[in-house]
Amino acid sequence: MMAKSGKVLVLAVVTTLCADVAQAFQFRAGESVDGNFDTQLTLGSGMRLQKQSPQLVGDPTVPGANTAVSSNGDDGDRNYNRYDLFTTSLKLTPELLLRFPDGYKFM
């Protein structure tokens, strides 16, 4: 099994290489209309970089917990350890621009 520092390195390299990919296609429709069709593919992820903190947990059964806050207010502090991924997103953004005579544009 890969060490956590190795996972972090692999994730950093993959995110850097694949973080933002864009493609464009230009076209002309007849004599009067031309345009661009652009797409952008974005990959993102979130990783916890700090250790769990008992100060963020309101559970009185946890040693060192901050019982002045609600146990619902810990935002999942006990659910994720250091270097755990807590979110990943993949987004595709298409964009169409049409240019008409007399300077009119439609996006």
Side-chain angles (χ1 to χ4, degrees):
M1 183 159 178
M2 187 183 299
K4 287 191 178 190
S5 61
K7 289 180 184 178
V8 172
L9 179 62
V10 168
L11 180 66
V13 169
V14 168
T15 302
T16 302
L17 294 175
C18 301
D20 198 8
V21 178
Q23 294 291 323
F25 172 70
Q26 295 181 354
F27 61 90
R28 185 163 190 89
E31 292 293 320
S32 59
V33 179
D34 65 321
N36 294 1
F37 181 70
D38 303 324
T39 58
Q40 184 176 13
L41 181 66
T42 307
L43 173 67
S45 62
M47 177 184 287
R48 182 181 184 135
L49 298 177
Q50 295 179 343
K51 295 179 182 177
Q52 291 181 0
S53 172
Q55 292 297 317
L56 298 175
V57 179
D59 187 357
T61 61
V62 175
N66 183 3
T67 56
V69 298
S70 168
S71 62
N72 293 329
D74 67 3
D75 292 331
D77 186 66
R78 294 172 63 184
N79 295 335
Y80 302 100
N81 294 317
R82 191 173 191 180
Y83 303 122
D84 282 353
L85 290 175
F86 62 87
T87 186
T88 304
S89 64
L90 180 65
K91 181 173 72 169
L92 177 69
T93 308
E95 191 173 281
L96 176 66
L97 172 65
L98 298 174
R99 288 182 288 281
F100 296 97
D102 299 328
Y104 292 109
K105 293 180 182 178
F106 177 78
M107 183 175 236

